[in-house]
Amino acid sequence: MKNLLLVLCLGIVSPLLAQQVDGPQLTGISETSAWTVIRIESDQPFIIGGNRYVLHVGDVVFEHSRHPDGNERIIEFLVDPDAWSAAPKGEDAVLVYGLYEGNMTAQGRSEHMEGRYTALGPLTK
Amino acid sequence: MRRILFFVLFWPVALLAQTPDPGEPGPYAVTSAEYDFGDEAFDPPSFPEPVEVTGSVHYPDDLSDGPFPVILILHGRHSSCYNPGTGWTSIAWPCTAGYEPIPSYTGYDYLAEQMASHGYIVISVSANSISSTDNSVGDYGMQARGELLQHHLDLWNDWNTVGGDPFGTMFVGKLDMDHIGTLGHSRGGEGVIFHALYNRSLGSPYGIDAVLTLAPVDFNRQTLTGIPLLNVAPYCDGDVSDLQGVHFYDDVRYEDPTDEAPKHSLMLPGGNHNFFNTVWTPGLFPAGTADDWGYVDWTQSDDQCGTSDPGNGRYEPETQRNILLAYASAFFRFYVGGEEDFSPILETNDIIPPASATIAPDDAFMSYHPSNRKKIDLNRLDNEGTESTNSLGGAASQTGLTDYDICGDDFGEQYCLNLGASQEPHCKNGGISMLGLSQLGISWNSADDVYDNELPVEWQNLSEFEYVQFRASVDFTGTASALDFSVELEDASGATASVNTDDYTNALFYPPGDIGTTLPRIMHHTIKLPLSAFEGIDLSAVTHIRMQFNGSASGSIFVSDLLISSDENVYLPPVADFSVNVTTTCTGMVQFTDNTMLFPEEWLWDFGDGTTSDEQNPSHTYYTSGDYTVTLTATNPAGSDEVTYEALIHVEHPIAPTAVGDVICAGEEATLSAMPAGGGTLNWYDAPGGSLVFSGDAYTFEPLVSTTYYIQETIESPIEEVGPPDNTFGSGGYFNSNDLRGIFFNVEVPLTIETVKVYSNMAGNRTIQVLAGEGGPVVHSLTMNIPSGEQVIDLNFAMEPGDQYYIKVTGARVDLFRINDGSPDYPYEIPGVISLTGSNVVGAELDYYYYFFDWKIRQAECLSELAPVTASVSPLPDIATIGDVTIPAGGSATLFASGGVSCYWEPATGLDDPSSCTPMASPEETTTYTVTVTTINGCVDTASVVVTVTDDNGWEELQLAGIVLYPQPATGQVQIDGLGAVPVTYLLTDMQGKLIAQGMVDALHNSIELQGIPAGSYMLKLTGNMSSVSLPMIIQ
């Protein structure tokens, strides 16, 4: 049943693609044979540094990502289907530079930390 | 810094030690060169993409003094390309049209020039390709970084031995590949850790003497022992803002009791992440630069790290580079170059930064964990138990403290202040299930408050040591300012002496920064107090070491690593200890592990069953049930120590099988039999602990001599089942997206996973692995072809007790069925044996069941006591006979056979008593008699005697037919009865015809002396005038 729901939700998200972006925004969710790809675009380059961007969805964290074609204004999180299916429904997605387990929420709320914290809103799968 | 004036005015004289400045340029003029084999010249085995082989080298212009030690530098993750026209950056690799590579590897040229001027060959390596892809790789490209560095060293090894393009023979013999230091920045920091481990896994073809991690990440928490380490942690790092590199230091402190490599960690209050690299520093490169503190503090407003705050404590970029020049030089020149003058800087004996660092006295803080040969751990503070018992076994206690609690040591208290890894970098960082630093939180509000550690009597002599030291950090949540307190030592007479920490450290400062969520931070730094300063007490009998909190009215600190240390190696007798894998066993097999401290060199184990071993970690088998006391005596050149654990091992074998032996005669088959007492399998061994010769209930063989075997019954545990029996309990499907999924299980007793059931979508090879935790070491790995459909596959994975084992399929093909609908009902368990606890799907651990159904497991078998059983072999009779004889027709002769207790002659024809051993034979014709001799054990053998009947007249003349020799066998003398008055000649010859004696005999002189004639068979020939006769004779 969960898988069926996932397929239906993916269909709903697809129209989000190709919108004009202003700051990091979720712009698409697609599937390959191996991954569910969550695409986030921004009008500014993402930080390219030692740390890593992580995508929090509720209590679930997605850690692995890529910048397609080396484009630093796009980041795609690579999520395997089971992890994607397990992600809570309707929870806020939060993009954070750095994985700070246990204090993500506190860090995210700091007004000083806009550079590495972006609330993307509910991730409606 | 705002504190400069304070320290200039009040800095204790004791701290103003003078150490040579390592940051000054050296005597060599320096030349540099580049090499580039292309953007995709190397395929790291662990990486999905090819990478560039590009680097630079700085070296002394005059190479004639070579070979020179080597420094190898690896940059971190950064944009890989830039457009010179627009300034835009990209992380593609290779660079796309219009973009050029960003040469991050050249950003350390200032350091390379400095080190080369001191006689080092400094190589800096480009790793842009890894940066472009590593976020999608499981280990973030760390193994690939190690492989890339090793590839560069391989190239340099070639250039150092045979030469080659592009350097020709210029560097032949100029590099000392046995003395290499590595430096990695950011992701390169974790990369050099992986490289050192990779080089070691290859047999250490290159000598890595020192590893410096510069503002590193530590995503994977790999640990490196055995090589001196310096981690540099910039307080204002806005990129790796939880300062993960402190774990490289913290994680290895107590990992290996034989580790002789010291650890250092340098905290720089005004340093950020990027300014160590000139290519990443604004104003020094046209694109991609940043002050990374802005990643955290968008407005740069923090009062320590924010550059907009007028009182901030940030370094200028040049200052930051100066600091690295000074400390990296000290580190490499000490551990790679052997310049011991710099040890005070690294070992916190001189805490004033070198002048070349161009910073204030309180602007650099070092942690130093000495080699195990230079310290004893008074209190590691590594678990809750150390609140009451220290690491030496003495009492730990407190008086009056308002907080006294070990924290960070368990997942329920993984942060001491519950602020997270950015403000508590020593605690657990994100992404990997591994705790951080265990530390003791202390708060006080009275000068009478005390934290005390008692030294057991065997540890009270500190005269060989020079310091008491610990690490500490001010708890900014319970304190408003810098702190001070005293350390007091008490000796056996009750005399005390104390020293103020403020006289020897600046580490108890109030952590700066006000941004919150990242700053202030808890950072532990070493506080080192010379024992010589504790005047008036007997250092050979120190009974207590106390922290007396009388320097500040109140305060809170965190403490770690309380130890006694020395600048030189201290040779103390070992402290013996050991552990065992089991204490109760039905197999009798026990693995002993030496845990002796202080470098034992010899071991003597007394297992309590009359056997011993001198191995360090012996395996031993007890063959008899009972309780055994085990003693280990460990010895090193300074002395020895003994530890005994009474009744440590409880052996409870099943009773031995009932065995029946056999008694046979030589040459016969023996059949030994036994009956298992527990219905198990009987194994026959040639000795206790010897070779298996047979399995079964009855063993038939032909022994040459009496033989004893030892029979042991193996009682196999029954198959037990755990896990869902099949995949019908929920819905799911075949999973082939990746090889990252599996399930966790705990094992409580030794067992074997014999089979599991899987459902395969397509036939093909799969590699099934069990790991010690997700991402941990591989415990078992098995590759097999699994046909399509439901399959029961043999694993036969032997498992020792342990938690969080992780079983998965690794490799390109998974394609096995898993349940994903939330229907699993974890835990699947056999209480006390095994428990399958959940999947690794974060947030939905209990909703997924991966691949492996219907586990068939078997607990370890039991082994009975040994039952000895013997095949007794009796020898055959050693038959001696009279030999062949000749008699005249109508005559007779006395036959003779010996070697047993009874005889029987066949045929009976012509014999007076066939059952006599000395029958009279009077055959009418020549006859071959066979005598069967029987021993007292019933063993029989046969021999033949030919009695030849002759018509020789001489015989008649001599009337020798009636001649009788006696006794037979003869001893000393033989009598000849039946002779006449006419003398006859006798000749006594051996069986080869050699004459032994001769003479004349007749009726009156009828004895022959045999003294001195060896025992054996002989022929006695009697010769008359007309004829002769030969008679066999035996002399005993």
Side-chain angles (χ1 to χ4, degrees):
Chain A
M1 181 59 77
K2 278 186 176 177
N3 284 347
L4 178 59
L5 185 60
L6 168 64
V7 172
L8 292 173
C9 290
L10 287 171
I12 294 170
V13 169
S14 298
L16 293 173
L17 292 168
Q19 295 179 353
Q20 183 71 31
V21 294
D22 182 15
Q25 292 187 20
L26 176 68
T27 58
I29 301 171
S30 60
E31 275 193 331
T32 70
S33 60
W35 305 102
T36 295
V37 180
I38 303 171
R39 184 179 177 102
I40 300 166
E41 297 184 45
S42 175
D43 58 345
Q44 296 296 315
F46 291 100
I47 299 167
I48 306 296
N51 226 320
R52 53 192 163 177
Y53 276 97
V54 293
L55 184 65
H56 296 259
V57 181
D59 292 334
V60 177
V61 180
F62 302 137
E63 301 176 32
H64 292 287
S65 65
R66 66 187 178 193
H67 297 278
D69 301 321
N71 188 336
E72 297 177 357
R73 290 170 172 77
I74 303 172
I75 189 168
E76 291 181 343
F77 283 89
L78 308 174
V79 183
D80 82 44
D82 285 1
W84 175 242
S85 178
K89 317 299 182 294
E91 293 273 1
D92 281 347
V94 181
L95 179 67
V96 181
Y97 185 62
L99 177 51
Y100 305 100
E101 189 171 311
N103 63 347
M104 184 280 293
T105 302
Q107 289 182 330
R109 293 295 176 265
S110 169
E111 63 180 5
H112 298 280
M113 302 174 67
E114 296 158 3
R116 66 176 185 186
Y117 168 86
T118 303
L120 298 170
L123 188 65
T124 306
K125 297 193 293 181
Chain B
M1 291 289 292
R2 285 160 291 184
R3 286 181 293 274
I4 291 177
L5 181 59
F6 171 84
F7 284 111
V8 168
L9 292 176
F10 299 106
W11 200 254
V13 173
L15 299 181
L16 298 177
Q18 292 299 308
T19 302
D21 191 331
E24 296 296 329
Y28 288 97
V30 173
T31 304
S32 66
E34 301 264 329
Y35 59 101
D36 184 357
F37 290 89
D39 289 345
E40 298 179 312
F42 175 58
D43 289 303
S46 68
F47 205 62
E49 302 291 340
V51 304
E52 76 271 32
V53 177
T54 302
S56 67
V57 59
H58 288 72
Y59 55 95
D61 190 39
D62 179 3
L63 288 169
S64 62
D65 289 344
F68 296 102
V70 177
I71 304 296
L72 183 63
I73 299 175
L74 179 64
H75 67 83
R77 184 169 181 270
H78 189 73
S79 295
S80 51
C81 308
Y82 76 109
N83 185 315
T86 65
W88 283 34
T89 57
S90 160
I91 196 161
W93 193 262
C95 296
T96 52
Y99 283 75
E100 296 180 4
I102 294 178
S104 290
Y105 68 101
T106 66
Y108 315 98
D109 282 353
Y110 66 98
L111 176 61
E113 290 167 5
Q114 161 92 351
M115 294 304 298
S117 77
H118 285 286
Y120 291 77
I121 292 180
V122 185
I123 302 156
S124 188
V125 168
S126 178
N128 281 344
S129 177
I130 295 176
S131 296
S132 76
T133 307
D134 59 0
N135 270 5
S136 62
V137 177
D139 69 353
Y140 294 91
M142 296 309 167
Q143 181 65 20
R145 287 182 168 89
E147 291 161 357
L148 176 62
L149 290 180
Q150 196 73 355
H151 181 70
H152 278 264
L153 287 180
D154 289 342
L155 289 172
W156 278 98
N157 191 47
D158 288 344
W159 295 328
N160 189 45
T161 51
V162 297
D165 291 339
F167 300 118
T169 60
M170 182 172 68
F171 288 108
V172 171
K174 301 306 178 188
L175 285 79
D176 182 354
M177 303 298 280
D178 292 328
H179 293 290
I180 299 172
T182 59
L183 182 153
H185 183 193
S186 191
R187 291 200 188 184
E190 189 170 4
V192 293
I193 295 289
F194 270 65
H195 169 255
L197 295 169
Y198 181 55
N199 180 62
R200 182 175 291 169
S201 75
L202 298 176
S204 299
Y206 307 115
I208 309 299
D209 288 343
V211 174
L212 193 158
T213 57
L214 180 62
V217 300
D218 186 6
F219 294 150
N220 299 280
R221 295 291 290 275
Q222 294 290 304
T223 56
L224 176 66
T225 61
I227 298 176
L229 170 79
L230 170 60
N231 177 66
V232 176
Y235 195 77
C236 299
D237 191 328
D239 187 342
V240 186
S241 58
D242 52 355
L243 307 185
Q244 297 170 21
V246 297
H247 296 296
F248 289 130
Y249 177 108
D250 294 345
D251 290 349
V252 296
R253 293 165 302 146
Y254 304 115
E255 181 171 303
D256 178 2
T258 67
D259 190 358
E260 297 188 44
K263 332 294 175 194
H264 309 271
S265 189
L266 177 67
M267 196 281 277
L268 302 174
N272 74 351
H273 187 84
N274 281 354
F275 289 176
F276 295 113
N277 186 314
T278 57
V279 174
W280 302 356
T281 301
L284 299 182
F285 194 76
T289 63
D291 173 4
D292 51 275
W293 178 248
Y295 302 162
V296 171
D297 180 5
W298 193 250
T299 57
Q300 292 276 3
S301 59
D302 180 77
D303 67 1
Q304 169 66 14
C305 297
T307 54
S308 296
D309 187 288
N312 75 79
R314 286 288 302 279
Y315 307 136
E316 293 297 324
E318 182 180 6
T319 302
Q320 190 160 323
R321 295 194 298 272
N322 288 342
I323 297 169
L324 182 64
L325 282 176
Y327 284 94
S329 291
F331 179 66
F332 288 128
R333 290 171 65 185
F334 179 32
Y335 289 114
V336 180
E339 295 184 65
E340 296 183 356
D341 286 349
F342 302 120
S343 66
I345 296 172
L346 299 163
E347 296 176 355
T348 63
N349 294 333
D350 181 1
I351 61 173
I352 306 298
S356 64
T358 62
I359 53 175
D362 64 337
D363 232 3
F365 299 91
M366 185 71 82
S367 287
Y368 166 54
H369 199 75
S371 153
N372 281 316
R373 287 199 185 274
K374 293 183 176 180
K375 70 175 175 68
I376 54 174
D377 301 316
L378 174 55
N379 199 330
R380 294 180 176 180
L381 300 165
D382 53 356
N383 62 74
E384 293 282 346
T386 60
E387 293 174 5
S388 56
T389 304
N390 61 44
S391 303
L392 299 180
S397 62
Q398 61 88 20
T399 302
L401 297 177
T402 56
D403 181 43
Y404 178 73
D405 180 46
I406 291 286
C407 53
D409 65 315
D410 65 65
F411 285 98
E413 199 176 15
Q414 59 191 17
Y415 298 107
C416 292
L417 297 172
N418 203 29
L419 292 175
S422 288
Q423 289 187 270
E424 300 181 76
H426 293 281
C427 294
K428 179 183 179 300
N429 60 329
I432 188 165
S433 182
M434 187 169 169
L435 289 164
L437 179 72
S438 174
Q439 48 199 293
L440 177 63
I442 288 175
S443 295
W444 68 91
N445 59 8
S446 164
D448 295 328
D449 293 351
V450 169
Y451 169 49
D452 181 42
N453 274 274
E454 177 190 46
L455 282 75
V457 63
E458 64 269 26
W459 293 102
Q460 291 177 357
N461 185 354
L462 305 184
S463 55
E464 297 288 320
F465 291 90
E466 296 171 88
Y467 310 98
V468 55
Q469 68 174 76
F470 53 93
R471 290 199 297 165
S473 174
V474 168
D475 172 5
F476 52 83
T477 67
T479 305
S481 63
L483 296 174
D484 182 26
F485 56 86
S486 298
V487 172
E488 179 183 85
L489 269 60
E490 179 179 334
D491 68 16
S493 72
T496 61
S498 65
V499 166
N500 287 337
T501 55
D502 202 28
D503 291 340
Y504 292 93
T505 187
N506 52 8
L508 292 172
F509 60 90
Y510 183 82
D514 62 353
I515 187 175
T517 71
T518 301
L519 302 181
R521 306 183 196 264
I522 298 296
M523 298 294 293
H524 284 239
H525 309 301
T526 291
I527 296 170
K528 194 172 182 181
L529 309 174
L531 288 172
S532 59
F534 293 87
E535 297 177 349
I537 65 164
D538 180 3
L539 290 176
S540 68
V542 176
T543 58
H544 291 267
I545 295 178
R546 300 187 185 95
M547 293 180 184
Q548 184 94 41
F549 297 102
N550 52 7
S552 303
S554 64
S556 296
I557 58 172
F558 292 102
V559 180
S560 59
D561 302 328
L562 177 55
L563 55 90
I564 313 297
S565 67
S566 172
D567 290 333
E568 305 297 331
N569 288 350
V570 176
Y571 296 96
L572 296 174
V575 179
D577 198 11
F578 66 90
S579 58
V580 292
N581 66 332
V582 292
T583 56
T584 298
T585 172
C586 66
T587 66
M589 294 186 289
V590 182
Q591 175 65 51
F592 293 87
T593 300
D594 171 49
N595 297 326
T596 299
M597 295 190 296
L598 301 177
F599 301 94
E601 296 181 8
E602 296 178 2
W603 302 263
L604 178 61
W605 299 82
D606 182 339
F607 298 120
D609 62 351
T611 63
T612 61
S613 171
D614 60 4
E615 296 178 30
Q616 182 176 10
N617 299 303
S619 295
H620 183 65
T621 300
Y622 293 92
Y623 293 103
T624 306
S625 296
D627 293 331
Y628 295 93
T629 296
V630 182
T631 298
L632 168 63
T633 304
T635 304
N636 68 15
S640 64
D641 187 38
E642 177 181 293
V643 62
T644 297
Y645 290 107
E646 300 284 342
L648 174 67
I649 306 297
H650 177 71
V651 181
E652 194 168 324
H653 287 293
I655 62 172
T658 303
V660 179
D662 199 0
V663 178
I664 61 164
C665 298
E668 296 179 343
E669 284 189 336
T671 298
L672 306 180
S673 62
M675 180 175 295
T681 301
L682 298 180
N683 292 315
W684 303 58
Y685 299 92
D686 58 4
S691 300
L692 177 68
V693 295
F694 177 69
S695 293
D697 295 349
Y699 182 38
T700 299
F701 63 112
E702 188 173 318
L704 299 176
V705 296
S706 294
T707 303
T708 298
Y709 290 116
Y710 298 84
I711 310 171
Q712 188 170 51
E713 182 178 356
T714 299
I715 302 174
E716 197 170 53
S717 300
I719 287 281
E720 298 175 90
E721 299 175 353
V722 67
D726 55 38
N727 68 347
T728 61
F729 67 94
S731 62
Y734 295 101
F735 187 86
N736 198 37
S737 297
N738 56 58
D739 64 349
L740 303 176
R741 296 299 173 198
I743 57 178
F744 295 99
F745 63 100
N746 301 327
V747 174
E748 297 188 40
V749 296
L751 56 82
T752 298
I753 304 170
E754 297 202 342
T755 66
V756 293
K757 183 185 295 179
V758 297
Y759 299 87
S760 167
N761 190 35
M762 295 181 64
N765 281 344
R766 275 87 169 176
T767 298
I768 298 170
Q769 292 186 322
V770 171
L771 294 82
E774 187 176 10
V778 175
V779 178
H780 291 288
S781 184
L782 178 65
T783 300
M784 65 174 67
N785 184 280
I786 301 178
S788 62
E790 177 183 313
Q791 305 292 338
V792 174
I793 57 176
D794 293 329
L795 298 181
N796 292 314
F797 289 163
M799 305 299 305
E800 289 291 322
D803 289 342
Q804 287 291 94
Y805 283 117
Y806 178 59
I807 186 168
K808 65 187 289 265
V809 178
T810 294
R813 181 187 297 275
V814 180
D815 213 8
L816 298 177
F817 193 91
R818 55 89 173 90
I819 298 291
N820 67 345
D821 66 348
S823 59
D825 186 21
Y826 292 105
Y828 297 94
E829 62 181 343
I830 302 170
V833 179
I834 188 171
S835 177
L836 282 54
T837 57
S839 75
N840 74 327
V841 179
V842 176
E845 290 84 353
L846 306 184
D847 293 343
Y848 289 78
Y849 191 92
Y850 284 98
Y851 317 138
F852 307 107
F853 302 86
D854 193 24
W855 295 34
K856 298 286 197 300
I857 65 106
R858 195 189 295 275
Q859 297 184 50
E861 60 200 8
C862 285
L863 302 175
S864 75
E865 292 189 323
L866 296 172
V869 60
T870 301
S872 298
V873 179
S874 297
L876 298 179
D878 183 12
I879 302 174
T881 68
I882 191 171
D884 297 341
V885 298
T886 301
I887 62 172
S892 65
T894 301
L895 304 185
F896 167 79
S898 65
V901 296
S902 66
C903 303
Y904 188 78
W905 301 79
E906 291 180 298
T909 305
L911 298 179
D912 64 341
D913 182 2
S915 63
S916 168
C917 289
T918 57
M920 181 68 75
S922 308
E924 294 179 352
E925 57 187 13
T926 297
T927 303
T928 299
Y929 292 98
T930 298
V931 61
T932 299
V933 178
T934 303
T935 67
I936 192 169
N937 293 320
C939 297
V940 298
D941 204 354
T942 60
S944 296
V945 173
V946 178
V947 178
T948 302
V949 179
T950 179
D951 294 331
D952 190 334
N953 290 332
W955 183 269
E956 293 176 355
E957 177 196 345
L958 286 172
Q959 296 182 332
L960 295 178
I963 288 174
V964 174
L965 299 180
Y966 72 92
Q968 277 279 37
T971 302
Q973 189 181 70
V974 67
Q975 300 290 325
I976 308 172
D977 280 1
L979 293 171
V982 178
V984 297
T985 300
Y986 74 85
L987 299 174
L988 180 65
T989 60
D990 65 13
M991 300 308 290
Q992 284 73 45
K994 180 182 177 184
L995 179 64
I996 303 300
Q998 61 182 329
M1000 302 292 288
V1001 290
D1002 58 26
L1004 295 177
H1005 308 88
N1006 65 344
S1007 65
I1008 300 173
E1009 292 298 322
L1010 302 176
Q1011 294 291 344
I1013 299 175
S1017 297
Y1018 296 89
M1019 293 299 294
L1020 181 66
K1021 187 175 184 179
L1022 302 175
T1023 305
N1025 290 332
M1026 299 296 293
S1027 62
S1028 65
V1029 65
S1030 294
L1031 301 173
M1033 189 177 77
I1034 296 172
I1035 299 175
Q1036 284 189 331

